[in-house]
Amino acid sequence: MTYNLRPEIKIKQDSQTWTSYDQIAEELNQQFVAGKKKITLECYPGVDLSELEQQLFSKLTDVRLVKADDYAYDAETVTKKIAANLTEDRVFGILSHATLDEFYPEYEVKQIQQELAKEQKNIVVYGTGATILLPNPDILCYADLTRWEIQKRHRAGMPNWKAANEHEDNLKKVKRGFFFEWRVADRLKQKLTDQMDYLIDTNVPNQVKMVDGESYRTALDQIVAQPFRLVPYFDASVWGGQWMKEEFNLDSEKENYGWAFDGVPEENSLCLNFSGTKIEIPAINVVHQRPISLLGKKVHARFGNDFPIRFDYLDTVGGGNLSLQVHPRVDYIQEKFGMPYTQNESYYILQASEKSTIYLGVKEGTEKAELFDELHRAEKGDYRFPDEKYINCFPVKKHDHYSIPAGTIHCGGPDTVVLEISQTPYIFTFKLWDWERLGLDGIPRPVHLVHGEANVNTDYDTAWVQDNLINPFETLYEDNEGRVEKTGLHELEFIETHRHWFKKEAKVKVHQSVNMLNLVEGEEITVESLDNSFAPFEIHYGETFIVPEAVKEYKLVNQGDPAKEVAVIQAFVRNLA
């Protein structure tokens, strides 16, 4: 298989890039010589400031360095200020609506600004919040970092911003990032994009790269005018399988891969190739900075600068069951966590065997009180929850598609590869039962029975599930060239999915929405423009890709065996007009 583990976007326009600390230092020193004495280097939380100090600032001439983080409130004060957002829960918090300046005492900011106004030396203010201390510099640099790299650094011991939590449970570090840090940092980054003179990629330790701001903004314009792929990443799980390891040519030394994040702009990155210099940026930057071209006017009007569709893989081939779980109702997630909408989802079965199953909905006559009495008993240990008494278990086969609206108890079974197609708020999974397992960290995985009991809908029982959630296929169009099927999702979910079968080619409309797609059958296709506005874009089996709404209409062309049908699953936001 030719699954591309490192897709990149070739930027057409010539650009200025710098590929080492020495080159970046030379460029900044030249700015000083040119009379631009004040430089702000704003940093996303998690950027290694000690590396910048050692590798970059030591090479600058006649400079006063000001570390912005030192002027923010201390770790204890910041943690107290966001206590309501963090909550006592190990996994879930409440979304912060704060801005970064709220964590800088006004008197400290005024004092340092008065000092800097009198400073005769060259000035570099750096760190998270640098633009709060020096908001109108001669030169604005932004040091960026992807979410996956941040999470890996947390696992290796890095604390959160303004938090003395090096040894804290990693789930709590991710929670602090998700509910607080990333929100305030993204709000600031959105404001600074049009002002940036330079963007710095700090994802690989000691291998920094930089591109000029104008080239970066031009690249954003190009991205939302063509199909593109995100850079996928893969992670182990207690239930993880072996299929992706083999089929996607992953590290054979790893015990398993349960997750593949191949279509999650909030988590994934983009690799931009500027004439040979590859700059990696968080994919969420494109969503925040070019939302209307990417999402479309109607989707943007409903979701703002938020990407509402998510694709990922769940692999249990040679592994075990997922956790038994449920997702929250919309009113619940809004009230308890400050999220605007919930994680309705679906399971598209990419691979299956005779052992493959899905747990979906409760059995007829199940009483919620009795169900949760059993789950609470199992939570205490030394008792196996009798899932066969309460939960439906259905066999699945390749190309089945199961809708899972919020409130439905569900769980993926063994020996299955699931393409999970869902609405984006991905962190809100209420585990109910985890088959007596420990997490990869040796600690029992958290269950959330209080949240679960408030959200499980026992009306979603056997008959209802069979009538509403299992393979609700409908042929929308068919001719000698191919067919288009509606495969879901349930009417309570805002995502629509169409499956395109064809041997030669298929024309596809975006339906006034950004499209997320995956080649679920076949070897290779190209995504082609109807007006030659972008070059043919190559897609291999299992690869997820995005087509911006601005493209309007495009063509899928089979590049494999012309005698065999290929299939592409297409997801978009339903137009309710």
Side-chain angles (χ1 to χ4, degrees):
M1 185 177 289
T2 323
Y3 184 95
N4 187 354
L5 293 169
R6 192 72 181 172
E8 58 186 56
I9 301 170
K10 293 184 178 180
I11 305 305
K12 300 171 187 176
Q13 185 168 312
D14 291 337
S15 310
Q16 285 187 289
T17 58
W18 297 261
T19 58
S20 69
Y21 278 115
D22 285 342
Q23 290 181 9
I24 294 173
E26 182 180 356
E27 172 67 13
L28 297 184
N29 280 327
Q30 287 177 0
Q31 297 293 348
F32 288 144
V33 171
K36 297 179 178 180
K37 295 175 61 66
K38 298 179 180 180
I39 295 178
T40 299
L41 177 50
E42 184 66 53
C43 298
Y44 204 80
V47 170
D48 189 342
L49 301 185
S50 63
E51 182 180 305
L52 293 175
E53 292 161 354
Q54 296 165 17
Q55 301 289 338
L56 176 59
F57 301 148
S58 61
K59 299 177 173 69
L60 300 182
T61 304
D62 190 31
V63 64
R64 175 178 176 180
L65 297 173
V66 177
K67 184 177 180 180
D69 304 60
D70 292 342
Y71 294 83
Y73 288 114
D74 60 31
E76 182 179 0
T77 303
V78 170
T79 300
K80 285 181 179 178
K81 286 173 74 70
I82 62 173
N85 298 105
L86 296 181
T87 75
E88 294 298 321
D89 194 279
R90 187 179 171 200
V91 177
F92 303 120
I94 299 173
L95 209 63
S96 173
H97 296 286
T99 54
L100 193 59
D101 60 288
E102 296 175 36
F103 301 91
Y104 278 79
E106 187 175 347
Y107 65 89
E108 293 274 13
V109 173
K110 285 184 177 179
Q111 183 175 353
I112 188 62
Q113 287 178 341
Q114 290 171 357
E115 288 183 30
L116 295 178
K118 300 174 183 177
E119 181 60 62
Q120 297 301 306
K121 287 186 174 182
N122 301 318
I123 297 169
V124 174
V125 181
Y126 67 99
T128 301
T131 49
I132 295 169
L133 304 190
L134 189 59
N136 297 301
D138 298 317
I139 297 292
L140 173 59
C141 305
Y142 194 97
D144 217 345
L145 191 62
T146 64
R147 298 275 174 83
W148 180 227
E149 178 59 27
I150 292 169
Q151 291 177 68
K152 289 193 291 185
R153 293 182 185 187
H154 283 322
R155 291 179 185 181
M158 182 184 77
N160 290 90
W161 182 72
K162 303 304 293 187
N165 65 343
E166 292 87 343
H167 304 294
E168 189 173 40
D169 176 359
N170 187 60
L171 287 177
K172 292 184 178 180
K173 290 182 181 180
V174 172
K175 178 183 71 171
R176 187 170 176 134
F178 182 93
F179 288 97
F180 166 59
E181 287 172 18
W182 303 343
R183 306 304 148 190
V184 298
D186 284 344
R187 288 188 188 104
L188 180 58
K189 192 197 301 186
Q190 288 181 62
K191 293 180 179 179
L192 299 178
T193 299
D194 290 340
Q195 306 167 39
M196 289 179 195
D197 295 293
Y198 303 99
L199 179 80
I200 304 176
D201 170 4
T202 66
N203 285 285
V204 181
N206 299 307
Q207 294 184 33
V208 70
K209 299 170 186 176
M210 186 171 80
V211 64
D212 71 280
E214 190 58 39
S215 295
Y216 170 61
R217 289 183 285 274
T218 299
L220 295 177
D221 293 333
Q222 179 186 322
I223 292 166
V224 294
Q226 65 180 55
F228 61 92
R229 283 192 65 217
L230 309 179
V231 177
Y233 71 84
F234 304 84
D235 205 9
S237 175
V238 294
W239 39 260
Q242 304 298 314
W243 185 85
M244 291 190 300
K245 184 192 300 187
E246 187 172 322
E247 295 295 330
F248 294 169
N249 196 29
L250 305 178
D251 186 351
S252 61
E253 299 299 314
K254 298 291 185 181
E255 184 175 346
N256 73 64
Y257 289 97
W259 294 96
F261 291 83
D262 193 10
V264 189
E266 173 128 349
E267 290 277 346
N268 288 119
S269 60
L270 289 167
C271 183
L272 311 183
N273 188 332
F274 292 93
S275 303
T277 299
K278 297 176 184 179
I279 304 284
E280 189 168 6
I281 65 168
I284 199 68
N285 288 9
V286 181
V287 184
H288 288 163
Q289 295 155 19
R290 297 294 185 269
I292 294 178
S293 295
L294 176 63
L295 302 175
K297 290 181 180 178
K298 289 191 174 183
V299 175
H300 183 255
R302 290 168 68 183
F303 297 98
N305 295 357
D306 194 33
F307 196 98
I309 306 171
R310 170 180 182 261
F311 278 22
D312 63 80
Y313 281 127
L314 310 170
D315 179 358
T316 64
V317 175
N321 293 343
L322 307 180
S323 60
L324 193 67
Q325 59 193 245
V326 68
H327 298 301
R329 303 185 317 270
V330 174
D331 59 329
Y332 193 89
I333 203 171
Q334 289 174 341
E335 178 185 347
K336 298 294 184 181
F337 307 113
M339 299 294 292
Y341 59 97
T342 193
Q343 183 179 333
N344 291 301
E345 65 183 20
S346 68
Y347 283 0
Y348 188 92
I349 309 303
L350 196 71
Q351 296 289 335
S353 75
E354 294 180 355
K355 297 185 292 183
S356 299
T357 58
I358 184 174
Y359 296 79
L360 194 61
V362 299
K363 291 191 173 180
E364 304 284 351
T366 295
E367 296 290 337
K368 183 183 281 192
E370 181 182 349
L371 169 67
F372 276 87
D373 282 347
E374 294 275 35
L375 287 167
H376 279 290
R377 184 178 174 190
E379 182 187 19
K380 296 174 182 176
D382 299 324
Y383 177 71
R384 180 192 174 280
F385 171 68
D387 60 279
E388 67 284 350
K389 180 178 178 181
Y390 296 101
I391 313 299
N392 299 310
C393 185
F394 302 102
V396 302
K397 62 183 185 301
K398 185 174 180 176
H399 293 308
D400 282 352
H401 198 180
Y402 297 83
S403 295
I404 310 173
T408 311
I409 285 185
H410 63 282
C411 171
D415 225 34
T416 310
V417 180
V418 169
L419 175 63
E420 187 176 49
I421 301 173
S422 68
Q423 298 169 192
T424 297
Y426 59 94
I427 200 172
F428 297 94
T429 297
F430 301 146
K431 295 183 182 70
L432 307 175
W433 166 242
D434 205 31
W435 314 96
E436 303 175 291
R437 295 181 298 213
L438 298 178
L440 293 177
D441 54 7
I443 301 172
R445 299 177 80 206
V447 295
H448 295 90
L449 296 183
V450 173
H451 290 313
E453 188 166 5
N455 285 278
V456 165
N457 190 337
T458 51
D459 289 336
Y460 295 171
D461 59 14
T462 308
W464 191 88
V465 166
Q466 289 173 326
D467 289 343
N468 289 274
L469 304 186
I470 297 177
N471 291 328
F473 296 162
E474 175 187 349
T475 299
L476 300 176
Y477 175 82
E478 186 170 13
D479 62 16
N480 293 332
E481 300 299 321
R483 66 189 183 279
V484 181
E485 300 166 330
K486 177 181 174 182
T487 73
L489 282 53
H490 188 262
E491 65 181 4
L492 298 180
E493 305 176 73
F494 61 68
I495 294 175
E496 186 77 79
T497 53
H498 290 176
R499 184 168 57 196
H500 301 264
W501 290 95
F502 56 95
K503 288 184 179 179
K504 184 179 178 182
E505 65 181 40
K507 285 186 178 179
V508 182
K509 294 183 178 180
V510 299
H511 299 286
Q512 299 180 300
S513 166
V514 65
N515 289 187
M516 186 169 276
L517 310 97
N518 188 288
L519 179 59
V520 296
E521 185 71 36
E523 300 171 3
E524 181 183 324
I525 62 170
T526 49
V527 188
E528 300 186 7
S529 171
L530 301 185
D531 61 3
N532 297 314
S533 59
F534 58 82
F537 185 66
E538 192 175 275
I539 296 294
H540 305 103
Y541 174 71
E543 293 180 348
T544 294
F545 60 104
I546 294 171
V547 177
E549 193 275 344
V551 171
K552 305 301 183 186
E553 192 172 5
Y554 52 99
K555 185 167 59 174
L556 306 174
V557 182
N558 183 14
Q559 302 296 337
D561 186 342
K564 294 182 179 179
E565 274 193 317
V566 300
V568 173
I569 191 81
Q570 173 199 21
F572 54 93
V573 176
R574 287 191 181 114
N575 182 1
L576 299 181

